[in-house]
Every structure is written in C-alpha cells, then in structure tokens.
Amino acid sequence: MSEKLYIVVPCYNEEEVLPETSKKLKEKLESLIERDLISPESKIVFVNDGSKDRTWPIIVELHKSDPHFSGICLTRNRGHQNALMAGLMECRNRADIIISMDADLQDDIGAVDQMLEEYRKGNDIVYGVRSSRKTDTFFKRFTAESYYKVMRMLGVELVFNHADYRLLSRRALDGLAEYKEVNLFLRGIVPQIGYDTAIVTYERKERFAGESKYPLKKMLSFALDGITSFSVKPMKIIINIGILVFLVSIIMMIYTLHAKIVGRTVSGWTSLMVSIWMIGGIQLLCLGVIGEYIGKIYSESKHRPRYLIKENLEDEEEQ
Ligand code: UDP
Ligand code: MG
C-alpha cells in the first residue's frame, strides 16, 4: 500500500499565482499516483491565511472541480508560520506524509520525488535546501545568509538555506504537535523533533507572478522572533557586559579615591558625564533585551490559540 501524501500550501493574497500553481501541483500529484508512489487519495491542501483578494473563492472552485484539491480558511491573517501550522495540524490525522511548500513555486516541485525517496529510506523529516540564491536580490541573499550565520553563533540549530519546504512523516507531525508555543518559528522547532533526517537540494526560482508577501518589516520581525524564541545568549552577553562594567567601575573608584587623596579633584567633569551616559545607555539596552523575553513569557502564558478555523472543506466532505 502506498502512502497518502498531502501537500500543504499557505496562501496570502495569491490569486495571481494560484491558477498556475494548482495546475503544476495537480500534474505532479497525478504523475506520482500513476507511478504508484503515493495513494490515489493524496491531496493538495491550500490554507487561506485571511487573504483580501479572490484567493479563497479560487480554492473553493478548485475543490469543486477536482477532489484532489482541498482548502482550509483561517478567520483572519495570522502570518505564514501560523497558516502553515494550521495546515499541518489539521491534516495530520488524514495523511501519512505531508510536504509543505510556498504558493509561488519558488521551490522546485521536482524535488518532491527525491523527498519521497528519502522518506522510503526511513527518514521522517526531509529538508528542501536551496543550492544557490542566484535569483534572489543581493539584499535578500545577504540578509538571509548572515541571519543563518548569526543564528548558528547564538547556538540555534538551523538547517542552512532551508525555508519551509520539507517533508514530515506522521510520526514527526505528532512530535511537532507537542510544541505548544505561540511564537512559532518552525525552522527552529523541526530540527528539535529528532528522528532520522535527510536533505534534498534544489535550485530556487524567481516568483513567477505577484510580489513577495514578506516585506522588510515582516522579515525583520520574523528574524527577531527566531532569535528570541530559541536563544538566551543575548541575555548572557548582557550579563557579561554587566560584569565588565562593574569591574571598570571598581577601577574608576580606586582611581578617583587616589586622585582625591593626592588633591587633584577639580577637573573630571568630562569623565563624569561620559560615565553617566555610558552606564545609562547600557542599562537601557539591558532593559530592552529583558523586556523582549518578558514579552515572550507574557504571550506564552496566555495560551492563546494559534488559529481558528472558519471552514474546512475536508470536514464538509465527511458529513
Ligand atoms: N504567506 C502567508 N501569510 C502571510 C505571508 C505569506 O500565508 O502573512 C505565504 C505566501 O502566500 C507564500 C509563503 O507564505 O505561499 C511565502 O511567502 P513569499 O513567497 O511572499 O515569501 P518570500 O518567498 O518572498 O520569502
Ligand atoms: Mg516566495
């Protein structure tokens, strides 16, 4: 018996790419079914992340025209990671394997075959890794690659140049379900699940229509989320700075006492001002970082749901 594969695709304002994407994915799915690599009940599930355009009507249309297409509609925009998680968790009990990918098909769907091959070899998680970033702008490439390096320095386990194109087995998905955190950074969580893993490389293409749904502001907050969700090193660095400043202040104390005894106390206004400003600045910085972590604790302690489902075409079918 071949396994049931679900392809989960988060979509936010993707009306321009959906017709083409669905066509390509359907071809892929049919060819895999024909070769008996996956079960004929396999599906493509689009997760509508509160799109403001015609994304959801298009998904409903696709579902009506072909049972291989299905859709989940979130009540509002919850961001890429939450939309993806919604898809993974809702399909977890229906599929044997889930492959997640972006709606713009920048990730080569040809790699799906290799992913399945690696799965058959006994790997529960298969990461899709970009072999190059030629098609990305210099800015995107530079920021993304430095980010991976900084993350590694901070002790966060990440797969280099791997985005959210990956295969997860049923077991791995059950593992993922145990991570209850609200600040989701899947790239950091998945390597923590464990099991046997493999890597499949592919060439990343350009977005064929529409524009990136990750403007700089979203990218920065995503990057910051990744760091503060997985690493406490920034806090440790600050503690070290604190110790250093304390040592310097002791030396300063000895120096000023000595100056007083010797009788050279008139001058010193400059150094006083400099130290006041410096220590003030460092304190503010420390407070900022501590605040960042307290913010995290605050939102985690509320246990808010990651997403709420408005409609699930899969459920309707079963009735
Ligand atoms: N996306 C989403 N919710 C959002 C932003 C993006 O579901 O709030 C989806 C989007 O539809 C796409 C994927 O996340 O399928 C990746 O977005 P995009 O291709 O714009 O990112 P980039 O490739 O530029 O990093
Ligand atoms: Mg993209």
Side-chain angles (χ1 to χ4, degrees):
M1 237 312 271
S2 45
E3 282 91 353
K4 222 197 280 183
L5 167 74
Y6 272 45
I7 297 177
V8 169
V9 186
C11 307
Y12 176 58
N13 293 345
E14 298 285 13
E15 63 177 5
E16 283 165 283
V17 304
L18 269 181
E20 179 68 16
T21 298
S22 56
K23 203 177 98 208
K24 292 233 177 85
L25 285 178
K26 192 179 152 187
E27 278 167 20
K28 185 87 224 164
L29 205 71
E30 279 169 353
S31 110
L32 289 170
I33 293 172
E34 235 163 66
R35 286 179 282 150
D36 207 25
L37 289 172
I38 53 170
S39 137
E41 284 162 49
S42 298
K43 277 185 191 197
I44 299 156
V45 181
F46 295 105
V47 183
N48 174 33
D49 185 17
S51 301
K52 291 177 183 67
D53 63 1
R54 291 199 63 255
T55 299
W56 182 241
I58 295 174
I59 296 170
V60 173
E61 224 25 71
L62 285 167
H63 173 67
K64 277 190 201 141
S65 69
D66 187 335
H68 280 137
F69 289 117
S70 192
I72 294 170
C73 184
L74 304 191
T75 49
R76 48 160 296 190
N77 182 254
R78 298 295 290 121
H80 178 203
Q81 299 288 296
N82 286 315
L84 181 53
M85 192 65 171
L88 295 178
M89 289 302 115
E90 292 305 309
C91 298
R92 161 165 84 102
N93 294 323
R94 300 188 170 104
D96 298 312
I97 324 165
I98 297 185
I99 294 181
S100 55
M101 62 172 79
D102 291 352
D104 54 11
L105 295 192
Q106 282 186 289
D107 309 312
D108 181 15
I109 55 170
V112 167
D113 296 74
Q114 284 163 274
M115 283 185 168
L116 288 172
E117 226 169 83
E118 291 295 341
Y119 169 76
R120 302 234 186 281
K121 285 187 202 156
N123 292 303
D124 279 277
I125 302 170
V126 186
Y127 300 102
V129 170
R130 296 160 193 177
S131 57
S132 76
R133 281 178 174 268
K134 267 186 269 167
T135 55
D136 279 347
T137 58
F138 171 76
F139 179 72
K140 178 119 188 175
R141 191 167 62 216
F142 177 76
T143 48
E145 291 193 342
S146 340
Y147 179 62
Y148 282 108
K149 283 178 195 148
V150 170
M151 288 293 270
R152 195 163 295 173
M153 250 163 51
L154 292 175
V156 185
E157 220 183 300
L158 274 190
V159 180
F160 194 70
N161 267 347
H162 157 71
D164 286 301
Y165 186 26
R166 68 173 81 82
L167 176 149
L168 292 168
S169 71
R170 167 80 71 102
R171 265 200 317 180
L173 286 161
D174 288 343
L176 182 62
E178 297 300 317
Y179 288 79
K180 309 280 186 206
E181 62 206 79
V182 180
N183 292 292
L184 261 192
F185 187 71
L186 285 170
R187 279 165 228 193
I189 297 175
V190 174
Q192 291 192 356
I193 298 174
Y195 293 124
D196 288 341
T197 62
I199 281 174
V200 162
T201 53
Y202 64 92
E203 286 276 336
R204 182 160 157 97
K205 289 183 241 159
E206 260 172 273
R207 192 178 240 279
F208 67 86
E211 50 194 42
S212 174
K213 307 295 179 289
Y214 264 102
L216 187 62
K217 203 171 139 229
K218 255 195 204 173
M219 223 160 74
L220 283 179
S221 87
F222 182 58
L224 204 67
D225 230 21
I227 291 174
T228 49
S229 295
F230 283 90
S231 174
V232 285
K233 275 220 177 137
M235 227 157 52
K236 292 203 177 120
I237 292 170
I238 291 214
I239 292 167
N240 288 338
I241 294 176
I243 292 169
L244 198 76
V245 170
F246 181 66
L247 290 178
V248 170
S249 73
I250 289 177
I251 295 167
M252 286 296 274
M253 202 173 73
I254 294 168
Y255 169 74
T256 42
L257 277 179
H258 175 258
K260 196 178 162 67
I261 292 161
V262 177
R264 281 192 280 119
T265 43
V266 191
S267 64
W269 183 81
T270 324
S271 60
L272 196 68
M273 287 311 272
V274 166
S275 4
I276 287 170
W277 281 96
M278 205 179 80
I279 291 171
I282 290 169
Q283 278 178 337
L284 280 180
L285 188 82
C286 297
L287 275 179
V289 173
I290 291 168
E292 181 70 32
Y293 283 97
I294 291 177
K296 281 261 143 74
I297 296 168
Y298 172 70
S299 62
E300 292 290 348
S301 67
K302 285 202 252 203
H303 293 291
R304 281 180 177 160
R306 289 200 192 99
Y307 56 83
L308 296 166
I309 306 276
K310 188 157 69 180
E311 229 175 308
N312 187 341
L313 298 178
E314 285 281 73
D315 286 343
E316 277 168 29
E317 221 165 74
E318 280 164 11
Q319 278 161 15

